[in-house]
């Protein structure tokens, strides 16, 4: 799903624009870990927790509402832009921050967060992503696991930062968040 300029203000409000910008540049998955420094995600705020209790509010004709999105129409109204912003944020959450091994599914737990775009920026996404990474790394130690899931951009950025011999040649130029180098 391409990043449209009209969605950017909503991503900025949600504190997720740095992550979206990483995807539009070169970054692909190829002391204390500070997620704010690595990915530019907020670490102060309310915890990201809870469960979905009103699933039917997020369905349209028996299908999840976000399945119909591809490219934002040029003549989109502000309401349509907000809908696409929600879909884009769902894509970021499910494919970049909280990815499963297939990276092709959206977990329902994120729907309540995107319901109110104005409230997205008050959550500590960085803390939740770090916890998810630790959970995925823990699961990865099982001898039957062959693929690693989770926020692999965060892991790769941390590896490049902590192990200079593994960095790409152009990693040393300044950039924030670190992963955008």
């Amino acid at each position: 799903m391409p990043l449209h300029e009209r969605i950017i203000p909503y991503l900025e409000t949600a504190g997720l624009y740095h992550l979206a910008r990483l995807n539009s540049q070169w970054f692909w998955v190829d002391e204390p870990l500070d997620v704010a420094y690595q990915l530019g995600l907020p670490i102060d705020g309310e915890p990201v927790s809870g469960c979905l209790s009103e699933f039917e509010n997020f369905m349209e004709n028996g299908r999840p509402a976000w399945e119909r999105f591809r490219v934002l129409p040029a003549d989109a109204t502000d309401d349509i832009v907000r809908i696409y912003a929600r879909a884009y944020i769902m894509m970021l959450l499910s494919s970049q921050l909280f990815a499963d091994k297939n990276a092709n599914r959206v977990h329902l737990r994120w729907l309540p967060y995107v319901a109110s775009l104005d409230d997205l920026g008050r959550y500590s996404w960085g803390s939740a992503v770090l916890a998810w990474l630790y959970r995925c790394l823990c699961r990865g130690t099982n001898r039957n696991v062959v693929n690693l899931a989770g926020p692999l951009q965060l892991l790769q950025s941390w590896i490049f930062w902590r192990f200079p011999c593994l960095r790409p040649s152009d990693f040393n130029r300044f950039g924030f968040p670190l992963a955008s180098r």
Side-chain angles (χ1 to χ4, degrees):
M1 183 176 181
L3 175 60
H4 193 280
E5 65 183 35
R6 291 180 67 189
I7 294 175
I8 292 173
Y10 298 104
L11 296 173
E12 290 173 335
T13 299
L16 298 171
Y17 178 62
H18 291 295
L19 182 67
R21 197 181 70 186
L22 291 178
N23 294 331
S24 67
Q25 295 181 5
W26 68 272
F27 198 97
W28 296 97
V29 174
D30 162 44
E31 27 292 35
L33 180 59
D34 187 344
V35 180
Y37 196 49
Q38 297 290 328
L39 294 182
L41 295 173
I43 56 172
D44 294 329
E46 296 181 30
V48 177
S49 66
C51 62
L52 182 63
S53 60
E54 298 173 354
F55 177 71
E56 64 278 356
N57 292 341
F58 301 100
M59 299 294 287
E60 291 180 0
N61 300 320
R63 295 178 47 194
W66 62 87
E67 284 186 1
R68 66 171 192 249
F69 300 99
R70 294 287 182 254
V71 177
L72 182 67
D75 61 347
T77 65
D78 287 342
D79 287 340
I80 297 297
V81 171
R82 290 177 66 84
I83 290 169
Y84 270 74
R86 285 186 185 94
Y88 194 91
I89 290 169
M90 287 292 290
M91 184 270 305
L92 285 176
L93 294 176
S94 65
S95 66
Q96 301 299 313
L97 299 182
F98 305 103
D100 62 13
K101 289 182 187 177
N102 298 320
N104 64 358
R105 290 180 275 184
V106 178
H107 198 285
L108 297 175
R109 75 172 58 111
W110 310 122
L111 288 175
Y113 296 98
V114 299
S116 175
L117 291 173
D118 297 331
D119 292 337
L120 272 170
R122 73 176 199 209
Y123 294 106
S124 178
W125 293 107
S127 301
V129 168
L130 185 58
W132 184 251
L133 175 62
Y134 288 160
R135 181 179 181 185
C136 292
L137 290 174
C138 184
R139 287 181 175 175
T141 62
N142 182 323
R143 66 182 176 148
N144 298 322
V145 173
V146 294
N147 291 323
L148 185 62
L152 300 181
Q153 288 179 335
L154 171 59
L155 180 61
Q156 182 176 322
S157 175
W158 180 83
I159 289 169
F160 289 167
W161 183 252
R162 301 298 283 169
F163 300 96
C165 62
L166 300 175
R167 292 179 190 164
S169 60
D170 63 345
F171 186 82
N172 289 325
R173 66 176 196 237
F174 178 75
F176 177 79
L178 287 181
S180 68
R181 290 179 171 199

